[in-house]
């Protein structure tokens, strides 16, 4: 096995798939560009959904990349050896090109060939789709298993797991309960413990086996009557857990001991007084995630992505208290610095936003301190109330109030319990857990919509709204000035929402000018051209880019222009998809213009027929 740094592995993976005819495409943003149903990009395939559904990708039919991902649904696992809230996924895709044999062979070659990673085949095991009782017409994926066996994997090392096709569980990928593309997957596991030999018989529940790679074969279309038809365009979508493979290649048994975390853990070790390894890992994970989110200009708030960021930062502070950190600000700043230093060579948006990241994190830390001191007053009121109105045996703080303290003031439940017990009051922990679970379910649904996301709505009208955000962006810059930059967007089939940097409320005249600008492009039936080029070329053509997509080879540039005169309306770096031409879109109308946060305005607009 080779001993590689994380940077070497990233490069080697892309090099391998380049040799196999893949175009390397950039990582997209952590915030899904065209999918309001999920808060974060949760897998490498997420930004590629439109192309997996049949749109042509300008870079071709074989794609590979590394993709920034966030999974808040995994937050309770964080602190174990392999689950992070932020991680990179390495991926390769076939859009109607190669299928199972090549996909499996290449995964095997990359992992086991001495020329590449050189893992010992004896430490590898495989799961395959084992059918679903409710769908006897769907075959067990013997085809995949046979390919593995032909490569030398022993039958005992291949487990067939019965899937829950309706719930997209166990070796099955597909839109839950919906119609559309779906299919079986095969997962690759590695035996991590160095001191125990890998068991001959593979038991996926044995924790020594860690899933490192998942190859999905989009093979079927689920039709209206819940039958599975073979798809015309069969796709492959794979996701390799970058941090997990780095862990394997550096011969350690958890991701925090890899070079991905080494400088971060060093700071945390130095600045904490209590040695609680899980708490330290949570601080490391959460602060890294916070830095990546802030680098994409997400700010702490009470809604959407901002709320997740707020929770993550406050949870960090809570664990810093647990570890009796003497100087919290110092720890925060040193970790931020370590993360930025470590990751900026690959993700330049971190260094570019260093001041912003430091400022926002420090401010949120202060706000939390204020909230806690405010919460204490409220808390004391509850306690007095309980004392005054109940006999001693009935002096209990309800789960609802304990949750309110947690949710509104950021009170950790452990802290609430401790403080209440000091004055002889018990806390209804069960009630709290229930309220908490319900809340978590909601946020889980929001983020773990997982792959369902992009599939939910890929309609023509949603795509048209996405194209209009580009035109709107150009109009705003023309009317208000070049300081205007996109800060977020959210699109449904009914409207578009667009956030941008601008200090003042728009005047009626400005709004009218902007509407006219956009409607002018619509009435000239603007056309859309998609091109792949290097970042330098893209910038040279005057393309504007969001904060993302600035690294890793080529970028896709969408140009919107007047097909009669070639006048260019907009040129932007973007992941797509877009309409080809504007026809019968109707009239663009700004419905609302308001402040979104300091220095950021928000427009809601619709198309009226
Ligand atoms: P697990 O069962 O271990 O949570 P998963 O089935 O959720 O994994 P996939 O959705 O198949 O994982 O994602 C593809 C790959 O991404 C996995 O094989 C794994 O290596 C990696 N991965 C998934 N979740 C995480 C995470 N929270 N942190 C780090 N890597 C992850
Ligand atoms: Mg998982």
């Amino acid at each position: 096995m080779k001993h590689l740094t994380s940077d070497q592995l990233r490069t080697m993976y892309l090099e391998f798939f380049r040799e196999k005819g893949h175009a390397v495409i950039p990582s997209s943003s952590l915030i899904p560009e065209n999918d309001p149903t999920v808060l974060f990009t949760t897998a490498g395939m997420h930004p590629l959904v439109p192309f997996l559904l049949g749109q042509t990708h300008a870079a071709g039919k074989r794609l590979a990349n590394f993709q920034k991902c966030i999974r808040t649904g995994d937050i309770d696992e964080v602190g174990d050896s392999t689950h992070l809230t932020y991680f990179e996924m390495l991926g390769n895709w076939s859009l109607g090109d190669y299928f199972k044999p090549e996909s499996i062979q290449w995964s095997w070659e990359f992992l086991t060939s001495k020329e590449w990673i050189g893992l010992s085949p004896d430490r590898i095991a495989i799961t395959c789709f084992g059918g679903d009782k409710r769908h006897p017409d769907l075959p067990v994926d013997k085809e995949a298993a046979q390919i593995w066996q032909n490569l030398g994997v022993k039958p005992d090392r291949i487990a067939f797991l019965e899937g829950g096709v309706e719930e997209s569980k166990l070796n099955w990928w597909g839109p839950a309960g919906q119609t559309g593309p779906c299919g079986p997957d095969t997962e690759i596991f590695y035996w991590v413990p160095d001191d125990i030999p890998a068991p001959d018989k593979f038991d996926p529940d044995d924790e020594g086996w860690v899933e490192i790679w998942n190859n999905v074969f989009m093979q079927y279309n689920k039709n209206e009557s819940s039958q599975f038809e073979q798809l015309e365009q069969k796709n492959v979508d794979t996701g390799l857990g970058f941090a997990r493979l780095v862990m394997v290649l550096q011969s350690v048994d958890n991701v925090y001991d890899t070079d991905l975390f080494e400088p971060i853990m060093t700071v945390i070790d130095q600045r904490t007084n209590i040695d609680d390894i899980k708490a330290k890992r949570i601080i490391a994970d959460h602060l890294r995630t916070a830095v990546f989110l802030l680098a994409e200009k997400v700010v702490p708030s009470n809604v959407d992505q901002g709320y997740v960021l707020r929770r993550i930062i406050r949870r960090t502070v809570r664990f810093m208290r647990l570890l009796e950190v003497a100087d919290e600000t110092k720890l925060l700043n040193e970790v931020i610095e370590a993360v930025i230093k470590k990751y900026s060579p690959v993700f330049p948006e971190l260094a570019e936003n260093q001041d912003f990241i430091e400022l926002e994190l420090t401010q949120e830390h202060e706000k939390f301190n204020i909230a806690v001191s405010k919460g204490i007053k409220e808390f004391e009121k509850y306690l007095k109330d309980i004392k005054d109105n109940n006999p001693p045996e009935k002096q209990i703080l309800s789960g609802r109030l304990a949750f309110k303290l947690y949710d509104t003031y950021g009170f950790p439940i452990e802290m609430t319990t401790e403080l209440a017990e000091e004055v002889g009051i018990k806390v209804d922990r069960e009630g709290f857990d229930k309220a908490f679970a319900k809340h978590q379910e909601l946020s889980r649904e929001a983020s773990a919509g997982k792959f369902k996301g992009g599939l939910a709505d890929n309609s023509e009208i949603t795509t048209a709204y996405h194209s209009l955000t580009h035109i709107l962006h150009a109009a705003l810059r023309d009317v208000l000035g070049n300081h205007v930059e996109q800060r977020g967007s959210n699109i449904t089939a009914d409207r578009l929402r667009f956030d941008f940097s601008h200090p003042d409320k728009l005047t009626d005249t400005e709004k009218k000018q902007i509407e006219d600008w956009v409607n002018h492009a619509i009435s000239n039936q603007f056309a859309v051209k998609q091109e792949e080029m290097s970042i330098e070329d893209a910038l040279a053509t005057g393309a504007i880019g969001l904060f993302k997509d600035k690294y890793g080879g080529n970028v896709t540039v969408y140009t919107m222009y007047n097909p009669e005169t070639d006048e260019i309306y907009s040129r932007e770096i973007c992941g797509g998809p877009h309409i080809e031409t504007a026809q019968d879109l109707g009239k663009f109308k700004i419905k609302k213009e308001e402040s979104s946060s300091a220095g950021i305005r928000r427009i809601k607009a619709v198309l009226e027929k």
Side-chain angles (χ1 to χ4, degrees):
M1 180 181 82
K2 292 214 171 109
H3 190 96
L4 299 180
T5 64
S6 54
D7 286 336
Q8 287 170 328
L9 173 62
R10 208 188 271 110
T11 309
M12 191 180 265
Y13 178 86
L14 297 178
E15 188 48 42
F16 178 84
F17 282 99
R18 214 179 265 127
E19 278 193 16
K20 306 289 183 199
H22 291 63
V24 172
I25 57 169
S27 170
S28 292
S29 164
L30 282 170
I31 316 300
E33 200 162 322
N34 196 23
D35 179 3
T37 63
V38 283
L39 293 179
F40 298 108
T41 300
T42 56
M45 63 86 74
H46 194 169
L48 290 170
V49 166
F51 308 102
L52 291 163
L53 289 179
Q55 288 220 14
T56 346
H57 196 290
K61 292 181 169 180
R62 295 182 180 191
L63 311 174
N65 81 350
F66 56 90
Q67 172 65 48
K68 304 191 272 186
C69 300
I70 284 188
R71 289 192 180 176
T72 55
D74 284 351
I75 197 163
D76 291 330
E77 261 85 40
V78 170
D80 74 1
S81 21
T82 57
H83 285 90
L84 300 160
T85 51
Y86 165 87
F87 61 98
E88 284 173 51
M89 210 184 269
L90 302 172
N92 60 281
W93 292 273
S94 156
L95 304 174
D97 191 50
Y98 61 85
F99 203 49
K100 281 184 208 180
E102 296 88 340
S103 167
I104 292 176
Q105 270 160 31
W106 289 340
S107 291
W108 183 256
E109 180 184 346
F110 179 68
L111 291 176
T112 62
S113 149
K114 296 253 177 327
E115 219 182 300
W116 299 95
I117 302 293
L119 300 186
S120 155
D122 188 47
R123 286 172 87 161
I124 290 176
I126 305 293
T127 60
C128 291
F129 177 65
D132 181 340
K133 277 200 196 74
R134 287 166 297 179
H135 293 280
D137 53 321
L138 277 178
V140 170
D141 197 0
K142 290 194 182 139
E143 192 188 343
Q146 191 57 53
I147 300 168
W148 286 116
Q149 280 193 43
N150 294 348
L151 291 166
V153 180
K154 301 212 174 69
D156 264 359
R157 283 285 179 78
I158 301 175
F160 289 93
L161 301 189
E162 199 183 292
V165 166
E166 300 303 334
E167 307 88 14
S168 279
K169 273 188 184 142
L170 286 183
N171 296 77
W172 183 264
W173 177 82
Q178 292 173 7
T179 54
C182 50
D185 65 43
T186 182
E187 296 172 354
I188 306 172
F189 287 71
Y190 185 81
W191 180 258
V192 172
D194 266 327
D195 46 347
I196 314 168
D200 289 337
K201 177 95 186 146
F202 171 44
D203 169 11
D205 290 332
D206 183 335
E207 289 192 352
W209 294 106
V210 169
E211 179 189 330
I212 51 173
W213 205 343
N214 186 354
N215 296 21
V216 177
F217 306 115
M218 285 173 61
Q219 177 168 12
Y220 302 103
N221 179 48
K222 187 174 165 196
N223 67 21
E224 301 287 337
S225 41
S226 276
Q227 282 160 333
F228 295 89
E229 308 155 335
Q230 293 280 341
L231 267 180
E232 280 286 313
Q233 174 187 320
K234 292 194 174 67
N235 303 312
V236 174
D237 150 41
T238 88
L240 168 61
F242 178 56
R244 294 188 188 181
L245 191 53
V246 174
M247 164 184 98
V248 167
L249 293 174
Q250 298 180 0
S251 301
V252 291
D253 63 1
N254 71 83
V255 291
Y256 301 91
D257 286 341
T258 65
D259 75 89
L260 289 170
F261 278 97
E262 198 270 330
I264 304 170
M265 292 307 277
T266 305
V267 171
I268 296 173
D269 280 333
Q270 276 165 3
R271 297 256 162 240
T272 47
N273 288 317
I274 291 181
D275 195 28
D276 176 337
I277 187 73
K278 186 162 180 204
K280 287 183 182 178
R281 288 173 174 181
I282 290 173
I283 295 174
D285 168 84
H286 285 16
L287 282 178
R288 194 175 72 137
T289 303
V291 169
F292 272 89
L293 277 175
L294 286 162
E296 294 208 13
K297 292 280 202 281
V298 174
V299 288
S301 75
N302 280 331
V303 290
D304 299 339
Q305 288 91 356
Y307 182 62
V308 172
L309 175 58
R310 168 159 285 167
R311 270 174 54 208
I312 281 181
I313 296 174
R314 292 189 173 196
R315 197 159 184 256
T316 308
V317 179
R318 176 182 142 198
F319 281 98
M320 289 200 297
R321 306 257 148 106
L322 220 71
L323 297 187
E324 296 177 4
V325 171
D327 192 337
E328 293 179 358
T329 312
K330 212 176 194 113
L331 184 146
L332 288 179
N333 284 326
E334 286 177 2
V335 172
I336 296 172
E337 220 183 289
V339 175
I340 292 178
K341 188 156 172 244
K342 173 77 197 163
Y343 292 94
S344 284
V346 181
F347 301 103
E349 67 273 24
L350 269 55
E352 281 160 20
N353 291 294
Q354 178 147 6
D355 293 345
F356 177 82
I357 296 169
E358 280 169 1
L359 183 73
E360 289 291 334
L361 243 159
T362 319
Q363 277 181 359
E364 182 60 16
H365 182 217
E366 278 163 19
K367 274 190 199 156
F368 178 71
N369 287 337
I370 294 168
V372 169
S373 40
K374 266 199 205 149
I376 287 283
K377 289 202 187 100
E378 185 94 4
F379 185 42
E380 281 166 354
K381 245 195 279 165
Y382 299 161
L383 296 182
K384 184 169 176 335
D385 227 44
I386 295 170
K387 282 256 175 218
D388 290 352
N389 297 311
N390 296 289
E393 69 280 7
K394 286 214 170 137
Q395 294 183 353
I396 296 169
L397 180 77
S398 72
R400 188 180 62 82
L401 287 180
F403 182 73
K404 189 174 168 209
L405 287 168
Y406 168 82
D407 200 36
T408 316
Y409 301 110
F411 267 46
I413 182 68
E414 298 81 9
M415 182 169 117
T416 302
T417 312
E418 243 174 64
L419 293 173
E421 279 174 357
E422 274 172 25
V423 293
I425 293 181
K426 288 207 167 59
V427 176
D428 174 11
R429 182 60 197 255
E430 213 174 291
F432 172 85
D433 288 343
K434 253 190 214 150
F436 184 78
K438 191 170 158 208
H439 169 87
Q440 211 177 19
E441 198 49 45
L442 292 178
S443 47
R444 235 187 214 147
E445 267 163 25
S447 63
K450 240 190 171 177
F451 301 138
K452 199 165 68 193
L455 294 174
D457 185 9
N458 195 39
S459 64
E460 186 73 19
I461 181 68
T462 306
T463 311
Y465 272 124
H466 180 214
S467 301
L468 280 179
T469 61
H470 284 218
I471 303 278
L472 173 61
H473 195 180
L476 288 166
R477 287 169 67 92
D478 196 34
V479 174
L480 304 174
N482 280 338
H483 61 279
V484 169
E485 272 180 39
Q486 176 167 357
R487 283 289 185 266
S489 74
N490 177 300
I491 300 154
T492 72
D494 302 315
R495 54 119 183 98
L496 68 84
R497 199 176 86 194
F498 190 79
D499 295 351
F500 58 99
S501 50
H502 183 60
D504 309 308
K505 189 170 176 52
L506 301 197
T507 63
D508 287 343
T509 320
E510 283 168 340
K511 278 195 271 190
K512 175 85 175 40
Q513 280 175 325
I514 291 159
E515 282 174 350
D516 288 349
W517 206 107
V518 175
N519 281 320
H520 171 75
I522 293 178
S523 60
N524 284 327
Q525 305 206 337
F526 68 84
V528 183
K529 185 168 68 183
Q530 179 190 8
E531 291 162 294
E532 285 283 306
M533 57 182 87
S534 71
I535 297 158
E536 293 72 35
D537 288 349
L539 292 174
T541 66
I544 50 174
L546 298 180
F547 39 82
K548 55 199 152 196
D549 289 353
K550 283 193 186 140
Y551 34 79
N554 283 356
V555 292
T556 308
V557 173
Y558 284 91
T559 306
M560 305 188 178
Y561 62 102
N562 182 334
E564 297 283 319
T565 63
D566 285 342
E567 181 199 357
I568 288 172
Y569 300 122
S570 145
R571 186 171 259 161
E572 263 195 58
I573 299 170
C574 171
H578 287 285
I579 52 174
E580 280 166 25
T581 55
Q583 263 164 7
D584 304 325
L585 287 186
K587 255 199 145 36
F588 177 82
K589 180 114 189 74
I590 296 176
K591 282 290 196 191
K592 207 170 186 183
E593 190 276 332
E594 60 193 347
S595 162
S596 154
S597 57
I600 313 277
R601 308 296 303 175
R602 167 169 292 181
I603 280 182
K604 285 187 185 150
V606 295
L607 284 166
E608 290 178 341
K609 289 279 165 181

